[in-house]
Amino acid sequence: MKALHRFSIAFAAATSSLALAAAPSHAIVGGTDAPAGAYPSIVEVTLAKSFLCTGTLVAPDWVLTAGHCGSITGAAIATPIAFPGVLIDVSIGSNKSGAGESVPVSYATIPPAYLATQGHDITLLKLSRPSTLTPTKVAGASETAAWAAGTVGTIVGWGATSEGGDTPDTLQHAQVPVTTDAFCGGAYSNFEVSTMLCAGYPEGGIDTCQGDSGGPLYGTTAAGERRVVGATSFGEGCARPGKPGVYARVGDTELRDWIRSVAPAAVS
């Protein structure tokens, strides 16, 4: 079965007239309700009131989400084309859908290499004013241990709680181990080591799913500080054995340096 990006299934119908190459997305399977206040940097992202993604406030006026959550993509489009900011709504910091801080989005920006490969699947959303909530920065060059293979990270999102299922009213979270690159490459033939990493259990059972696209894989530094080490990208189904979730490798050089070039305050 084809690996699918993890954005909301409703988007495919809502944007069919735009001739987008849209695939069904996914949410957190095997998770539990996140307590109020546990993730002040979590962002519920909607496009045209129907396209659901997740994101992270990584600087006071910048939100990190998936490339396919902010860009018109397709084989006929030579370069990434960002959705207009007026079509994108963000709700920041709440564990209840639609209840977070609302800040208008000025514009979206996507890495120029996004369409060139299967990787580079990130978007930065510029907010029209700083959020009042506390950001979680992207892991810096000295914090690679926060996403080393075998390290347990935290996934958070607004996506479905079962493959093809409904999205929840309460934010979901769960923990999954980062896999080795070799395991990820064995699971997905299009794995790109410089811009992707995988997390999940070999037996499956816990994973991101539709609606979690762009949401964080959080790691923890040696000092106990939370960092964004991945952004939900795609997977084959949700929580299937041998098919871990794939995340944009934002804590590594290629994506981290691009994020820093656009939003210096977003990187630790």
Side-chain angles (χ1 to χ4, degrees):
M1 180 177 178
K2 182 181 179 181
L4 301 175
H5 281 134
R6 297 192 162 179
F7 52 75
S8 170
I9 241 170
F11 175 67
T15 59
S16 59
S17 63
L18 298 179
L20 305 185
S25 66
H26 305 85
I28 288 178
V29 177
T32 57
D33 290 353
Y39 301 100
S41 63
I42 200 69
V43 182
E44 185 179 14
V45 180
T46 56
L47 176 65
K49 309 298 182 184
S50 60
F51 173 12
L52 174 65
C53 283
T54 303
T56 310
L57 184 73
V58 291
D61 55 350
W62 288 98
V63 169
L64 174 69
T65 188
H68 63 274
C69 293
S71 173
I72 298 173
T73 61
I77 300 173
T79 56
I81 300 174
F83 288 114
V86 294
L87 291 181
I88 305 171
D89 295 305
V90 298
S91 180
I92 307 169
S94 180
N95 70 330
K96 297 296 181 182
S97 181
E101 179 187 28
S102 178
V103 182
V105 174
S106 294
Y107 60 87
T109 185
I110 303 99
Y114 173 48
L115 290 185
T117 70
Q118 294 291 325
H120 302 86
D121 189 15
I122 55 174
T123 294
L124 282 168
L125 305 178
K126 180 68 166 69
L127 303 183
S128 62
R129 60 173 173 80
S131 169
T132 62
L133 295 163
T134 303
T136 301
K137 292 188 175 186
V138 171
S142 65
E143 297 171 332
T144 57
W147 48 275
T151 301
V152 175
T154 300
I155 49 176
V156 186
W158 293 102
T161 54
S162 63
E163 186 173 330
D166 294 329
T167 56
D169 293 328
T170 302
L171 183 69
Q172 298 293 294
H173 66 161
Q175 292 191 311
V176 287
V178 176
T179 74
T180 64
D181 292 338
F183 183 83
C184 196
Y188 298 102
S189 61
N190 60 343
F191 174 69
E192 182 182 81
V193 69
S194 63
T195 64
M196 301 177 188
L197 78 158
C198 284
Y201 293 96
E203 67 272 22
I206 301 176
D207 194 11
T208 49
C209 200
Q210 294 106 351
D212 288 323
S213 279
L217 171 64
Y218 288 127
T220 306
T221 70
E225 296 179 296
R226 186 180 288 166
R227 292 286 185 264
V228 182
V229 300
T232 301
S233 182
F234 69 92
E236 185 172 317
C238 303
R240 296 183 184 182
K243 295 295 180 180
V246 183
Y247 301 80
R249 196 176 184 119
V250 298
D252 213 348
T253 305
E254 191 158 351
L255 296 184
R256 185 186 66 238
D257 285 356
W258 179 81
I259 293 169
R260 192 193 303 275
S261 72
V262 175
V267 178
S268 174

